[in-house]
Amino acid sequence: MKRLFFIFLMFPLMLSSKVVGDTRLVIITIDGLRWQEVFMGIDESLMANTKEVRDVDQLRRMYWRHTPVDRRKSLMPFVWNTIATQGTLIGNRTLGSVMQVANKTNISFPGYSEMMTGFVDDAITSNDPVANPHRNVLEAANEDLRYKGNVVMYGSWKSTRYAIHNEEAHIPASVSYEKNIAKSQTSVLEMVDKMLAGMPRYWRSEHFDAFTYAYALETIKADHPKVIWISFGDCDEWAHARKYDLYLDAANATDTFIQDIYETCEADKFYKGKTTYLITCDHGRGDGAEWGSHGSSIKGSEATWLMLLGKGIEPKGETLNNGPFLTKQVAATIAHILDIEFTPDDGAPLQPIGM
Ligand SMILES: [Zn+2]
């Protein structure tokens, strides 16, 4: 009798936690944006390099201020006015908060792979656009009844989709000059499709982030996906090209995109108060003259960072003396936020970050 009572008591609880799950998640990745600019703003020594900056005076007016706190705020105002006061930030190494990739390559695809699959496969060492053989956390979300058919991805760079693409996973994704994948077509989406098709392909396997932003924002408005991964890439491209001014402009624009996505969601009753925002990067970059590069031989390019905002996130602001957290823990963090079952292919226990 006692046991029967227990079963009756537990069943509705289990059912409700599985079926009524009400979380929405917006994942935003910014490829190769250094923790140095995120947490300290423009770098004075790089700013003065006239080979890598077209108009030093203009750049100074836009982003230079007398303290690192004011500099970072002028570069990424939404991060420092809103996320820093209402969310949690990890990765300011000057405060002893450390996050880094677990893979040894410090390049993009292995970074996205560990972020989404929750572990490091040492055989994944290139950026080639080939299917990831491992199970990923967004695939697990898409198999859960609460999120099924409500998981989508938009990315600027071609290879990003393969972090979540294997023979089993069928998550709708649009990357690198592909058309939108919204279920509800709108005049805005049709126009963005035409504009992207008409853009000169400055980078061969990556379109400008403004298109990724426009697709994601309009898909959020039209389709209300419960889980969306928005993957930006301009910062990494301009850094490789050693255009420090354009790299900073891209960081600044990305901040505006994030603000617009956040404000659009929070003004919509489908998302308002029910949405967690997770923002991170795939790798860091070198210091000083090596700022443009990253990879196994570039010191410091293992450094990453993470911001969390919204539902379930405490307003801790910048955190101190913690870590090292690992980018592969992002998968566990996503599973925790969505309250889904997920086991990485290496079978290791999940360790969510910052919860
Ligand atoms: Zn890169």
Side-chain angles (χ1 to χ4, degrees), residues 31 108 236 240 283 285 294:
D31 200 302
S108 289
D236 189 67
H240 284 297
H283 56 72
R285 324 194 72 83
H294 59 93

Side-chain angles (χ1 to χ4, degrees), residues 42 47-63 244-246 248-249:
I42 188 171
M47 177 176 76
N49 183 345
T50 50
K51 284 204 188 89
E52 298 181 358
V53 170
R54 291 165 300 175
D55 185 336
V56 175
D57 290 338
Q58 188 197 39
L59 199 66
R60 184 186 297 275
R61 274 196 303 279
M62 287 177 74
Y63 305 122
Y244 194 57
D245 49 356
L246 291 167
L248 294 176
D249 285 346

